């Protein structure tokens, strides 16, 4: 099995889990919680053992806090959480490697809310990687990329399916790109030195190097 086939199977698994949740549940708030849990489990499988994955808030020493974050990837080698109960954590900005906001359907309305949540993290420490992950979108993917780049805070947007037929093939490779970036930025060799840059990452291009769209000046 090639790596591309592997990533496609991982993405297929995530989408099947989504469909099961949609068939069983009707309350959109509960469905949203399950969406986050599905992505959280996939993220746990992708990151190195030096990191833990939870949900909660980033809290600075001066008392300033982020909005609630759907997924927080934080360093467990040098830092412990300030508070932990099950999957819920409160962590310091210095310990956080990546924050992810999860949306079922990414649209122009909730995209702005996800961006604002990531901006609240960026204000605490700019080196944290900040991603948006969606199960589907009814917005042209390039428009999502441009909106995230304009925010000057979001370092990646990954969506698994699209209502735009011409984008279906490109969107189907998003899991490969997401997992590739997560594996790279949590690699023990680089996690202390390779902070998020001023661009929106689309994929890993070579060993520990990234390709993306620069934030506008």
């Amino acid at each position: 099995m090639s790596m591309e086939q592997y990533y496609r199977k991982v993405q297929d698994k995530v989408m099947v889990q989504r469909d099961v949740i949609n068939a069983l549940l009707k309350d959109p708030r509960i469905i949203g919680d399950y969406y986050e849990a599905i992505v959280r489990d996939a993220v746990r499988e992708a990151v190195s053992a030096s990191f833990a994955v939870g949900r909660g808030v980033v809290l600075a020493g001066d008392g300033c806090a982020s909005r609630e974050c759907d997924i927080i990837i934080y360093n467990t080698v040098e830092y412990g959480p300030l508070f932990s109960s099950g999957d819920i954590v409160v962590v310091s900005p210095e310990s956080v490697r990546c924050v992810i906001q999860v949306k079922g359907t990414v649209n122009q309305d909730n995209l702005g809310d996800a961006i604002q949540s990531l901006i609240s993290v960026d204000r605490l420490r700019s080196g944290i990687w900040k991603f948006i992950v969606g199960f589907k979108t009814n917005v042209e993917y390039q428009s999502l990329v441009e909106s995230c780049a304009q925010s000057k805070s979001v370092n990646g947007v990954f969506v698994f399916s699209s209502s735009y037929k011409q984008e279906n093939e490109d969107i189907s490779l998003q899991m490969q790109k997401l997992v590739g970036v997560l594996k790279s930025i949590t690699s023990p060799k680089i996690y202390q030195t390779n902070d998020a840059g001023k661009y929106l990452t689309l994929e890993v291009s070579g060993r520990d190097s990234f390709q993306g769209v620069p934030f506008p000046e």
Side-chain angles (χ1 to χ4, degrees), residues 13-205:
K13 175 185 174 183
V14 167
M15 298 301 280
V16 167
Q17 290 174 319
R18 177 205 66 177
D19 291 343
V20 170
I21 293 303
N22 283 336
L24 293 175
L25 302 173
K26 301 304 178 186
D27 188 327
R29 293 171 299 178
I30 298 176
I31 291 173
D33 288 342
Y34 276 93
Y35 280 168
E36 292 171 23
I38 291 169
V39 178
R40 199 176 298 119
D41 287 345
V43 169
R44 280 197 180 100
E45 294 179 8
V47 303
S48 78
S50 301
F51 292 84
V53 178
R55 169 187 179 182
V57 171
V58 183
L59 178 65
D62 62 2
C64 291
S66 71
R67 292 188 179 189
E68 184 177 10
C69 303
D70 296 335
I71 298 174
I72 303 175
I73 302 171
Y74 60 98
N75 178 353
T76 57
V77 174
E78 297 175 85
Y79 304 91
L82 303 172
F83 170 84
S84 176
S85 178
D87 270 347
I88 305 299
V89 295
V90 178
V91 292
S92 66
E94 293 77 18
S95 72
V96 179
R97 186 61 175 147
C98 179
V99 170
I100 301 173
Q101 293 302 107
V102 180
K103 298 295 180 184
T105 299
V106 182
N107 53 48
Q108 290 293 2
D109 292 333
N110 63 25
L111 178 66
D113 180 68
I115 288 173
Q116 288 303 312
S117 293
L118 296 181
I119 287 174
S120 75
V121 173
D122 198 39
R123 288 173 179 149
L124 302 179
R125 186 172 75 80
S126 59
I128 297 170
W129 291 81
K130 298 165 291 291
F131 299 149
I132 295 171
V133 172
F135 284 82
K136 61 181 178 179
T137 185
N138 51 25
V139 180
E140 186 180 8
Y141 183 66
Q142 186 57 38
S143 177
L144 297 180
V145 170
E146 290 172 359
S147 295
C148 289
Q150 288 288 339
S151 76
K152 299 185 180 181
S153 290
V154 183
N155 300 113
V157 54
F158 304 92
V159 186
F160 303 143
S161 66
S162 173
S163 59
Y164 284 80
K165 290 184 179 180
Q166 66 270 26
E167 291 186 342
N168 282 349
E169 185 59 29
D170 290 335
I171 293 290
S172 69
L173 299 177
Q174 291 291 296
M175 179 61 79
Q176 178 176 346
K177 295 176 181 179
L178 173 62
V179 171
V181 172
L182 289 175
K183 284 185 176 297
S184 185
I185 67 175
T186 63
S187 167
K189 294 181 179 179
I190 70 165
Y191 74 79
Q192 292 176 315
T193 58
N194 197 320
D195 280 348
K198 295 183 178 181
Y199 58 91
L200 185 140
T201 302
L202 298 181
E203 60 186 325
V204 178
S205 56

